[in-house]
C-alpha cells in the first residue's frame, strides 16, 4: 500500500464493488462531510468519548468530533486510502487509513493533530511510543485511523462481509497494520481475523497490532 500514490488503495476498493444494493467505493470529496458526520456519530456514543467529554451532550460531542476528524478523512481520501459503503445514496460505513511513517514525515501538522492532541495522556503516549518503536525497527506501519458502521446496519450481512473482504486484503498485503478501538464489539470482530496483539491503553480504549 502507498501513502503518496493512492493507486493500490483504489485498486483494492474497486475490486470489491458489487452490483448489490450495498456498494463499496473509494471516498470522494463530495462525500467527506457525510463521512465525518457518520464517524462522529459512531464515536460520540461510545463510552470512551462519553468519559473524555463528560460535560457536553451527544450532539455537541458529535459536532466537535466531526470538525476534528474532517481534515484527517480529507487527507486519506486525497491519497486514495478512504472508503465508504453506501446503501443507495446513504453512507452506512466508512474506513480510512494512512502510512504512519509517511504521515509523520510529510504531514507533520496533521500528524500532531491526530496523535499529539493530548500529549499528557498516558494512553496517547503509549500509542505513539508503540508505533514509533515499530517504525524504528524498520517496519512499514499502516494505521487504520477510522472504521465504523451506522447503528442500523451493524448486523447487515452484506455490510459486514464487504468490510471483512476489504480488511482481509489489507491484512494480507500490509507489513504491519495497527488500529485503536473504542468499541469493544468491533474490536472483538476484528480480532477474530488475527493473530493480533491487543493492548488495553485505557478504559474502553484498545490498540490492535498485526505484525
Amino acid at each position: 500500500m502507498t501513502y503518496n500514490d493512492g493507486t493500490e488503495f483504489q485498486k483494492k476498493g474497486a475490486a470489491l464493488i458489487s452490483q448489490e444494493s450495498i456498494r463499496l467505493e473509494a471516498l470522494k470529496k463530495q462525500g467527506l462531510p457525510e463521512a465525518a458526520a457518520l464517524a462522529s456519530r459512531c464515536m460520540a456514543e461510545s463510552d470512551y468519548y462519553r468519559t473524555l467529554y463528560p460535560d457536553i451532550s451527544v450532539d455537541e460531542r458529535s459536532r466537535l468530533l466531526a470538525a476534528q476528524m474532517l481534515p484527517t478523512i480529507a487527507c486519506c481520501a486525497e491519497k486514495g486510502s478512504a472508503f465508504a459503503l453506501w446503501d443507495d445514496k446513504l453512507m452506512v460505513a466508512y474506513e480510512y487509513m494512512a502510512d504512519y511513517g509517511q504521515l509523520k514525515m510529510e504531514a507533520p501538522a496533521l500528524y500532531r493533530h491526530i496523535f499529539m492532541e493530548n500529549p499528557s495522556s498516558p494512553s496517547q503516549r503509549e500509542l505513539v511510543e508503540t508505533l514509533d518503536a515499530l517504525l524504528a525497527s524498520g517496519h512499514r506501519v499502516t494505521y487504520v485511523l477510522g472504521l465504523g458502521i451506522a447503528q442500523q446496519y451493524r448486523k447487515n450481512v452484506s455490510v459486514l462481509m464487504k468490510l471483512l473482504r476489504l480488511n482481509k486484503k489489507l491484512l494480507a498485503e500490509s507489513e504491519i497494520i495497527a488500529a485503536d478501538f473504542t468499541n469493544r464489539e468491533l474490536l472483538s470482530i476484528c480480532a477474530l481475523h488475527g493473530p493480533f496483539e491487543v493492548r488495553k491503553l485505557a478504559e474502553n480504549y484498545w490498540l490492535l497490532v498485526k505484525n
Side-chain angles (χ1 to χ4, degrees):
M1 293 185 297
T2 64
Y3 184 77
N4 286 324
D5 175 4
T7 303
E8 291 304 313
F9 281 112
Q10 291 167 345
K11 285 181 180 177
K12 291 168 192 171
L16 297 176
I17 296 173
S18 78
Q19 300 302 312
E20 301 171 8
S21 62
I22 303 294
R23 66 190 191 280
L24 174 66
E25 296 179 348
L27 186 62
K28 299 178 177 64
K29 184 176 181 180
Q30 59 267 32
L32 294 177
E34 190 169 356
L38 175 56
S40 68
R41 287 198 302 273
C42 291
M43 296 168 66
E45 296 176 351
S46 74
D47 291 336
Y48 176 77
Y49 284 98
R50 288 179 188 273
T51 302
L52 196 61
Y53 301 107
D55 299 323
I56 59 177
S57 68
V58 172
D59 287 344
E60 289 173 317
R61 273 198 302 276
S62 185
R63 286 193 293 270
L64 174 65
L65 290 167
Q68 290 177 348
M69 289 185 292
L70 186 57
T72 304
I73 300 173
C75 179
C76 293
E78 183 180 345
K79 303 300 181 181
S81 57
F83 303 94
L85 280 170
W86 299 84
D87 185 358
D88 193 16
K89 297 181 180 180
L90 177 67
M91 186 183 295
V92 301
Y94 63 90
E95 183 167 2
Y96 54 99
M97 62 213 72
D99 181 308
Y100 177 79
Q102 290 184 355
L103 177 67
K104 186 174 186 178
M105 181 179 297
E106 297 173 6
L110 183 60
Y111 171 83
R112 290 192 297 271
H113 171 73
I114 298 169
F115 291 101
M116 307 295 287
E117 182 183 11
N118 185 9
S120 64
S121 164
S123 60
Q124 194 161 61
R125 284 201 308 272
E126 184 177 356
L127 171 65
V128 170
E129 287 170 2
T130 300
L131 297 175
D132 283 348
L134 291 169
L135 201 62
S137 64
H139 294 294
R140 186 176 187 175
V141 181
T142 299
Y143 198 82
V144 178
L145 291 160
L147 167 63
I149 305 171
Q151 187 172 13
Q152 66 271 34
Y153 284 84
R154 289 175 187 170
K155 295 184 180 181
N156 183 291
V157 174
S158 183
V159 169
L160 295 174
M161 289 303 297
K162 283 180 168 60
L163 281 176
L164 176 61
R165 290 168 63 195
L166 172 63
N167 283 283
K168 277 189 172 181
K169 287 182 70 68
L170 293 174
L171 289 168
E173 297 174 14
S174 301
E175 183 178 359
I176 292 180
I177 192 163
D180 59 284
F181 289 82
T182 59
N183 183 305
R184 184 189 294 272
E185 183 179 1
L186 187 57
L187 171 68
S188 299
I189 292 171
C190 293
L192 292 174
H193 305 283
F196 297 108
E197 176 190 354
V198 179
R199 185 180 304 179
K200 187 172 184 178
L201 299 177
E203 193 64 31
N204 299 305
Y205 188 42
W206 301 268
L207 174 66
L208 180 147
V209 179
K210 172 258 181 184
N211 53 30

